Amino acid sequence: MRRTNSTLAGAVVVALAVIACAPKSKHRVSEGERLADQAASLLDEAERALNEQNADGAEWKLRDAHRVLQQPKAASSPDWGSLVDRHKALESRVGETRAEKARDEIAQRVARRREVIAKSVKAFRLAITDLEINPSDRRNIDAARRAGNQMNADIDWEKELQEKDAEFKS
């Protein structure tokens, strides 16, 4: 009887060891894969947002993906390590995207100001040409003065652009 008890106890210990070391349950693996798929989808959306220069949208998606990847069941997925690496890589691009978007916006504002200033300079040159043709005409003098004042006003309108874009100063 003693031998059967020890054999039975040994069999129970072996069975518990086999159960503990056995692969995860199918449900747990499928749950991990579901979470990995959800994280991959969120990372895809974040990457798409970064490509569209939407840093805020990408940041929200990355935050959601981080929450999904932090769940313990997500670590049971074979893709978990690559998803974490991808998350880190995309997170580093958020700051770069914000800076790039700011530079693009400044470049667009500079281009619009240059168009306005170019029109003012052209009007001033035409007024000066008319003044050179007939210097004694009061209307030409007033037109040149107005064109010069308008040109100066257009240049001074968005003075902060000169500080933000060194090329615009010239």
Side-chain angles (χ1 to χ4, degrees), residues 151-164:
M151 182 180 65
N152 284 333
D154 288 342
I155 290 171
D156 289 339
W157 177 255
E158 290 192 49
K159 205 153 189 107
E160 74 272 359
L161 286 178
Q162 295 177 11
E163 297 163 2
K164 292 180 181 179

Side-chain angles (χ1 to χ4, degrees), residues 80-93:
W80 184 77
S82 63
L83 291 172
V84 170
D85 292 341
R86 186 173 171 210
H87 179 267
K88 288 177 184 176
L90 290 174
E91 251 184 353
S92 67
R93 285 183 49 196

Side-chain angles (χ1 to χ4, degrees), residues 6-150:
S6 65
T7 307
L8 184 63
V12 168
V13 168
V14 169
L16 289 175
V18 168
I19 291 172
C21 295
K24 308 278 191 255
S25 70
K26 191 171 186 177
H27 172 71
R28 185 167 178 181
V29 170
S30 67
E31 179 70 14
E33 288 176 1
R34 186 190 65 77
L35 290 171
D37 290 343
Q38 183 181 0
S41 173
L42 288 167
L43 292 174
D44 289 342
E45 291 173 15
E47 188 170 16
R48 204 172 305 116
L50 286 172
N51 290 338
E52 294 171 359
Q53 292 189 342
N54 181 4
D56 293 333
E59 195 170 39
W60 282 104
K61 295 295 181 187
L62 287 171
R63 197 171 295 141
D64 291 344
H66 181 71
R67 282 190 207 116
V68 171
L69 290 172
Q70 289 298 328
Q71 294 183 18
K73 291 180 182 178
S76 66
S77 170
D79 298 333
W80 184 77
S82 63
L83 291 172
V84 170
D85 292 341
R86 186 173 171 210
H87 179 267
K88 288 177 184 176
L90 290 174
E91 251 184 353
S92 67
R93 285 183 49 196
V94 171
E96 297 168 7
T97 302
R98 276 202 174 97
E100 183 179 337
K101 184 177 180 180
R103 282 191 303 271
D104 290 348
E105 287 174 355
I106 289 173
Q108 289 173 355
R109 287 177 59 198
V110 165
R112 287 192 303 265
R113 284 313 306 163
R114 284 185 184 208
E115 289 176 13
V116 169
I117 291 170
K119 289 178 184 177
S120 295
V121 169
K122 183 177 179 182
F124 179 68
R125 286 183 179 160
L126 289 173
I128 293 297
T129 303
D130 290 343
L131 185 61
E132 288 174 350
I133 293 171
N134 193 357
S136 62
D137 188 8
R138 181 76 176 158
R139 285 182 293 150
N140 288 344
I141 294 171
D142 289 340
R145 183 177 294 132
R146 278 192 309 274
N149 289 339
Q150 182 63 41

